[in-house]
Amino acid sequence: ATVKGDVHDIGKNIVGVVLGCNGYDVVDLGVMVPCDKILHAAREHGAQAIGLSGLITPSLEEMSHVAAEMQRQGFDVPLLIGGATTSRAHTAIKIAPNYQSPVVYVPDASRAVGVVTKLLSIDHAEGFKAEVAADYEKVRAQHANKKGVTLVSLDAARANALPFSGTPVAPKKTGVTVLKDIDLATLAEYIDWGPFFQTWDLAGAYPKILDDKTVGEAARNVFKDGQAMLKQLIAEKWISANAVFGLWPANSIGDDVELYTDESRSTVLATTHHLRQQHERPSGKPHYCLADFVAPKGTPDWTGAFAVTAGLCIEKKLAEFEATHDDYRAIMLKSLADRLAEACAEWLHERVRKEYWGYAADETLTNEQLIREEYQGIRPAPGYPACPDHTEKGTIFTLLDAPANAGMALTEAYAMTPAAAVSGWYFAHPEAQYFAVQKIARDQLEDWAMRKGMSVDEAARWLAPIL
């Protein structure tokens, strides 16, 4: 199951296919599955193992909850952990201690069969379980003895902020803009194919991967199938893509950014709350915060937000594939929808830079240069290193009215639906760059909670991965 609050299931589906092809019966409970449903189904079907998947960081806490409930309810079957945000360290430190029976991290679909086979083997299970338990105990010991990241105080980090400089460029069009039913053939020209191969557990950079001695043949085959389906889905319009974005007058207030209704800047439309790097930085390097890229009050500036999806109407075609048990084509369609959603974000950002905001009107970049981000400005997404707070998506969706304008919604854990979706902020400053907020200290947690109007405990739940 993909755990409660999460809608991403491509990796889980591949695991299911791989296990099914190796003689295992797999019961796929789908996405956004609450703990009680998972455990009820496990008893109902006599499951010999339970697998949990998730992409967004709030899913990590949900997996820990499921493990604790399995312990409380007396389960003894192995628990398998997988998904993009999971890791061996997190499994060992945060999830495994909640459950006395085996908890095993499965890094990718290709390992699933080997892990399950060893766990269920009459001859090898006990040895494998002991090996995993010893490995995770070692991970926990190393973590306990680890010096960790050296943090500075929040006051010191703020004193080392990037000073604002330059004269911001006013957008040619402010307010919200809605673009519906975007031409898929246009978006296809903006696809970054690298992550497409990662979806299929094929490691290597595109296009070199197509000639790789180890995975080249498999890469060429899946790429050929993907290109054929892309051509068909465009011609037959299996899915549709929508986008909505907004550009507003804005100024920074410390680590926050105020967005205003109009150029009088007298009425605050929304306030966005950002986190600042707090780990020790080399001499001369600032402690970045996204608010640093917006001018403080007294200098007119602007910021933006966007939300795009290429997953609309996908359910009908997926149902057709599922009716004929064509798992391969169902997974292929989901992976292509993801690529088109990312392409839509790239295409839209280019149009904003050149037309709607216009600060880079003369920009002429190839798709390869776009992929390498050789343009001015950034579009960081909540949940990623520069802004690890998923709850900021709520502000974005409200500002843009994404449900009405783009057909998009948020789950209780702030996962976007449809799953093939991207949202984030626009910053135009020439020095704007991506960075990572690695860890924060208690002083910033408490400060951020106060700014967000949350309790410290609630804030800690959302920021758990960086505490």
Short mmCIF file of all heavy atoms in Angstrom, two decimals, residues 162 277 281 285-286 288-290 293 373 377-380 386 427 429-436:
data_model
loop_
_atom_site.label_atom_id
_atom_site.label_comp_id
_atom_site.label_asym_id
_atom_site.label_seq_id
_atom_site.Cartn_x
_atom_site.Cartn_y
_atom_site.Cartn_z
N LEU A 162 22.07 36.48 2.86
CA LEU A 162 22.51 37.09 1.60
C LEU A 162 21.93 38.50 1.52
O LEU A 162 20.71 38.67 1.53
CB LEU A 162 22.01 36.26 0.42
CG LEU A 162 22.33 36.82 -0.98
CD1 LEU A 162 23.82 36.63 -1.29
CD2 LEU A 162 21.47 36.14 -2.04
N GLN A 277 18.97 28.25 6.20
CA GLN A 277 20.07 27.34 6.48
C GLN A 277 20.65 27.66 7.86
O GLN A 277 20.85 28.82 8.20
CB GLN A 277 21.18 27.48 5.44
CG GLN A 277 20.84 26.91 4.07
CD GLN A 277 22.01 27.07 3.11
OE1 GLN A 277 22.68 28.09 3.10
NE2 GLN A 277 22.24 26.05 2.30
N ARG A 281 28.55 27.32 7.84
CA ARG A 281 28.88 27.58 6.44
C ARG A 281 30.35 28.02 6.32
O ARG A 281 30.90 28.62 7.25
CB ARG A 281 27.98 28.69 5.89
CG ARG A 281 26.49 28.36 5.90
CD ARG A 281 26.13 27.46 4.74
NE ARG A 281 26.12 28.23 3.49
CZ ARG A 281 26.35 27.71 2.29
NH1 ARG A 281 26.65 26.44 2.16
NH2 ARG A 281 26.30 28.47 1.20
N LYS A 285 30.37 32.43 2.79
CA LYS A 285 29.15 31.84 2.23
C LYS A 285 27.96 32.18 3.13
O LYS A 285 28.01 31.96 4.35
CB LYS A 285 29.28 30.32 2.13
CG LYS A 285 30.38 29.86 1.18
CD LYS A 285 30.01 30.13 -0.27
CE LYS A 285 31.05 29.54 -1.21
NZ LYS A 285 30.72 29.81 -2.64
N PRO A 286 26.88 32.72 2.57
CA PRO A 286 25.74 33.11 3.41
C PRO A 286 24.92 31.90 3.85
O PRO A 286 25.01 30.81 3.29
CB PRO A 286 24.91 33.99 2.46
CG PRO A 286 25.26 33.52 1.09
CD PRO A 286 26.69 33.07 1.15
N TYR A 288 21.54 30.77 3.45
CA TYR A 288 20.46 31.14 2.53
C TYR A 288 19.07 30.90 3.12
O TYR A 288 18.84 29.96 3.90
CB TYR A 288 20.57 30.33 1.24
CG TYR A 288 21.67 30.77 0.30
CD1 TYR A 288 22.80 29.96 0.09
CD2 TYR A 288 21.59 31.98 -0.37
CE1 TYR A 288 23.81 30.35 -0.78
CE2 TYR A 288 22.60 32.38 -1.24
CZ TYR A 288 23.70 31.56 -1.43
OH TYR A 288 24.70 31.95 -2.28
N CYS A 289 18.14 31.73 2.69
CA CYS A 289 16.70 31.56 2.91
C CYS A 289 16.03 32.09 1.65
O CYS A 289 16.51 33.07 1.05
CB CYS A 289 16.26 32.35 4.14
SG CYS A 289 14.46 32.37 4.42
N LEU A 290 14.95 31.48 1.22
CA LEU A 290 14.29 31.95 0.00
C LEU A 290 13.86 33.41 0.10
O LEU A 290 13.81 34.12 -0.91
CB LEU A 290 13.08 31.06 -0.31
CG LEU A 290 13.41 29.64 -0.79
CD1 LEU A 290 12.14 28.81 -0.94
CD2 LEU A 290 14.18 29.67 -2.11
N PHE A 293 15.85 36.33 -1.53
CA PHE A 293 15.78 36.65 -2.96
C PHE A 293 14.66 37.64 -3.28
O PHE A 293 14.40 37.92 -4.45
CB PHE A 293 15.58 35.37 -3.77
CG PHE A 293 16.62 34.31 -3.50
CD1 PHE A 293 16.27 32.98 -3.36
CD2 PHE A 293 17.96 34.65 -3.38
CE1 PHE A 293 17.23 32.00 -3.11
CE2 PHE A 293 18.93 33.69 -3.13
CZ PHE A 293 18.56 32.36 -2.99
N GLU A 373 19.36 24.13 -16.10
CA GLU A 373 18.92 25.34 -15.38
C GLU A 373 19.85 26.53 -15.62
O GLU A 373 20.23 27.26 -14.70
CB GLU A 373 18.83 25.04 -13.87
CG GLU A 373 17.80 23.98 -13.55
CD GLU A 373 17.95 23.42 -12.15
OE1 GLU A 373 18.88 23.85 -11.43
OE2 GLU A 373 17.16 22.54 -11.78
N GLY A 377 16.68 32.90 -12.31
CA GLY A 377 15.50 32.63 -11.51
C GLY A 377 15.37 31.15 -11.16
O GLY A 377 16.00 30.29 -11.79
N ILE A 378 14.57 30.86 -10.14
CA ILE A 378 14.35 29.49 -9.70
C ILE A 378 12.86 29.27 -9.47
O ILE A 378 12.08 30.21 -9.35
CB ILE A 378 15.13 29.18 -8.41
CG1 ILE A 378 14.76 30.16 -7.29
CG2 ILE A 378 16.64 29.20 -8.67
CD1 ILE A 378 15.37 29.82 -5.93
N ARG A 379 12.46 27.99 -9.37
CA ARG A 379 11.07 27.62 -9.07
C ARG A 379 11.06 26.50 -8.03
O ARG A 379 10.67 25.37 -8.31
CB ARG A 379 10.33 27.20 -10.35
CG ARG A 379 11.02 26.15 -11.22
CD ARG A 379 10.14 25.75 -12.39
NE ARG A 379 10.74 24.78 -13.28
CZ ARG A 379 10.65 23.46 -13.14
NH1 ARG A 379 9.98 22.95 -12.13
NH2 ARG A 379 11.23 22.63 -14.00
N PRO A 380 11.50 26.79 -6.81
CA PRO A 380 11.58 25.76 -5.78
C PRO A 380 10.19 25.24 -5.37
O PRO A 380 9.23 26.00 -5.29
CB PRO A 380 12.26 26.47 -4.61
CG PRO A 380 11.94 27.91 -4.82
CD PRO A 380 11.91 28.11 -6.30
N ALA A 386 15.26 23.31 -0.53
CA ALA A 386 15.28 24.74 -0.22
C ALA A 386 14.06 25.16 0.61
O ALA A 386 14.11 26.17 1.31
CB ALA A 386 15.35 25.57 -1.50
N PHE A 427 11.03 32.85 -8.12
CA PHE A 427 11.91 33.93 -7.68
C PHE A 427 12.76 34.35 -8.87
O PHE A 427 13.36 33.51 -9.55
CB PHE A 427 12.82 33.46 -6.54
CG PHE A 427 12.06 33.12 -5.28
CD1 PHE A 427 11.67 31.81 -5.04
CD2 PHE A 427 11.73 34.10 -4.36
CE1 PHE A 427 10.96 31.48 -3.89
CE2 PHE A 427 11.02 33.78 -3.21
CZ PHE A 427 10.63 32.47 -2.97
N HIS A 429 15.26 36.92 -8.85
CA HIS A 429 16.52 37.59 -8.54
C HIS A 429 17.70 36.92 -9.26
O HIS A 429 17.79 35.68 -9.28
CB HIS A 429 16.75 37.59 -7.03
CG HIS A 429 17.82 38.52 -6.59
ND1 HIS A 429 19.17 38.23 -6.72
CD2 HIS A 429 17.76 39.75 -6.00
CE1 HIS A 429 19.88 39.23 -6.25
NE2 HIS A 429 19.06 40.17 -5.81
N PRO A 430 18.61 37.69 -9.83
CA PRO A 430 19.74 37.10 -10.56
C PRO A 430 20.60 36.16 -9.70
O PRO A 430 21.25 35.25 -10.23
CB PRO A 430 20.56 38.33 -11.01
CG PRO A 430 19.56 39.43 -11.06
CD PRO A 430 18.59 39.16 -9.95
N GLU A 431 20.63 36.40 -8.38
CA GLU A 431 21.42 35.54 -7.50
C GLU A 431 20.61 34.39 -6.90
O GLU A 431 21.15 33.60 -6.11
CB GLU A 431 22.04 36.36 -6.38
CG GLU A 431 23.09 37.36 -6.83
CD GLU A 431 23.73 38.07 -5.65
OE1 GLU A 431 24.42 37.39 -4.87
OE2 GLU A 431 23.53 39.30 -5.52
N ALA A 432 19.34 34.28 -7.25
CA ALA A 432 18.51 33.19 -6.72
C ALA A 432 19.08 31.84 -7.16
O ALA A 432 19.41 31.64 -8.33
CB ALA A 432 17.07 33.34 -7.20
N GLN A 433 19.21 30.95 -6.21
CA GLN A 433 19.76 29.63 -6.51
C GLN A 433 19.13 28.60 -5.59
O GLN A 433 18.59 28.92 -4.54
CB GLN A 433 21.28 29.63 -6.32
CG GLN A 433 21.73 29.98 -4.92
CD GLN A 433 23.23 30.00 -4.79
OE1 GLN A 433 23.86 28.99 -4.50
NE2 GLN A 433 23.81 31.18 -5.02
N TYR A 434 19.23 27.33 -6.00
CA TYR A 434 18.75 26.24 -5.16
C TYR A 434 19.78 25.94 -4.08
O TYR A 434 20.99 26.05 -4.31
CB TYR A 434 18.48 25.00 -6.00
CG TYR A 434 17.36 25.20 -7.00
CD1 TYR A 434 17.63 25.40 -8.35
CD2 TYR A 434 16.03 25.20 -6.58
CE1 TYR A 434 16.61 25.59 -9.26
CE2 TYR A 434 14.99 25.40 -7.49
CZ TYR A 434 15.29 25.59 -8.83
OH TYR A 434 14.28 25.79 -9.73
N PHE A 435 19.31 25.57 -2.91
CA PHE A 435 20.18 25.24 -1.80
C PHE A 435 19.45 24.23 -0.92
O PHE A 435 18.28 23.92 -1.16
CB PHE A 435 20.55 26.49 -1.00
CG PHE A 435 19.34 27.25 -0.48
CD1 PHE A 435 18.78 26.93 0.75
CD2 PHE A 435 18.76 28.26 -1.24
CE1 PHE A 435 17.66 27.60 1.23
CE2 PHE A 435 17.64 28.95 -0.77
CZ PHE A 435 17.10 28.61 0.47
N ALA A 436 20.11 23.73 0.09
CA ALA A 436 19.50 22.75 0.97
C ALA A 436 19.48 23.25 2.40
O ALA A 436 20.51 23.69 2.93
CB ALA A 436 20.25 21.42 0.90
#
